[in-house]
Amino acid sequence: MYESGVRRPGIMAALLGELKDPIEAICAKATAEAGLVSPANYNCPGQLVISGEEAGVDRAMALAKESGVKRAIKLNVSGAFHSALMETALDGLSEAVANTTFNNPKFPVYANVNAEPVTLADRARQLLLQQLTRPVRWSDEITAMAARVPDALYVEMGPGSVLTGLVKKIAPALKTMSCGTVAEVNQLLEKAA
């Protein structure tokens, strides 16, 4: 059983495939039976990430397989991100956020916590702190952005194309582009010209 306030190392795992049962119910059952675990990332249809204590994650992986997930893979991470186990970092992050100047954004920034556009600096501060212990709602974010700006070019900045692939699974009609190499930067500049 999970004991509140007991610090234990945490892990994360990816669940690939469709579930018959809601991930929240699976995590609640695994928490009651083995240890704290919760949804951490709603990446796209058929791809979720869970986070928590190792025993809880292990139990949730087994329950997810019983519920139809094709693969459950432990991730090589240094903590149980986007879970209650991150509460120990909240004081440090709160202090850093309090000592940082925030301005209202010039355009809406979608928050991972609630998938809603943020236009006020004070609201951004609050949501940034919540993001530490709450799941990333990537699928909902992309759906919300696609409804607002369906004709935009969605650009993934940096190496790789993981997010571009997730966007295509969520909203296949969106125009996407990865931009992590010199050639891709040049392509983006040509498109923007």
Side-chain angles (χ1 to χ4, degrees):
M1 291 293 250
Y2 171 68
E3 296 176 42
S4 180
V6 176
R7 289 176 51 181
R8 298 182 183 137
I11 65 169
M12 299 176 80
L15 305 177
L16 307 174
E18 297 298 326
L19 291 166
K20 291 180 233 148
D21 304 301
I23 189 60
E24 297 81 6
I26 289 170
C27 287
K29 183 174 183 183
T31 295
E33 293 177 1
L36 179 71
V37 60
S38 60
N41 298 71
Y42 295 87
N43 286 342
C44 68
Q47 188 181 114
L48 299 164
V49 176
I50 56 175
S51 181
E53 296 173 314
E54 188 165 4
V57 170
D58 286 342
R59 181 65 182 134
M61 290 170 66
L63 292 169
K65 286 180 182 175
E66 291 172 16
S67 184
V69 162
K70 292 179 183 171
R71 293 180 63 201
I73 306 159
K74 287 185 182 177
L75 302 176
N76 184 17
V77 296
S78 59
F81 302 109
H82 306 292
S83 80
L85 294 179
M86 294 303 298
E87 286 177 0
T88 57
L90 194 54
D91 288 342
L93 181 60
S94 295
E95 184 178 331
V97 168
N99 292 321
T100 302
T101 301
F102 279 64
N103 296 313
N104 291 338
K106 295 182 186 213
F107 52 85
V109 176
Y110 282 75
N112 288 337
V113 171
N114 60 12
E116 294 176 3
V118 179
T119 58
L120 300 173
D122 287 341
R123 183 68 176 139
R125 283 179 190 276
Q126 295 167 354
L127 292 169
L128 186 59
L129 295 175
Q130 291 175 20
Q131 178 177 300
L132 191 62
T133 58
R134 296 197 21 213
V136 173
R137 299 194 168 277
W138 181 254
S139 188
D140 293 339
E141 279 181 82
I142 296 304
T143 301
M145 285 189 278
R148 183 179 171 138
V149 284
D151 296 328
L153 174 62
Y154 290 77
V155 180
E156 178 175 359
M157 300 301 293
S161 60
V162 172
L163 298 178
T164 302
L166 294 177
V167 169
K168 284 306 214 180
K169 289 179 181 175
I170 297 163
L174 293 179
K175 295 177 277 187
T176 61
M177 179 180 180
S178 296
C179 190
T181 66
V182 171
E184 291 169 339
V185 169
N186 290 332
Q187 284 178 327
L188 179 60
L189 292 172
E190 286 175 20
K191 286 185 180 204

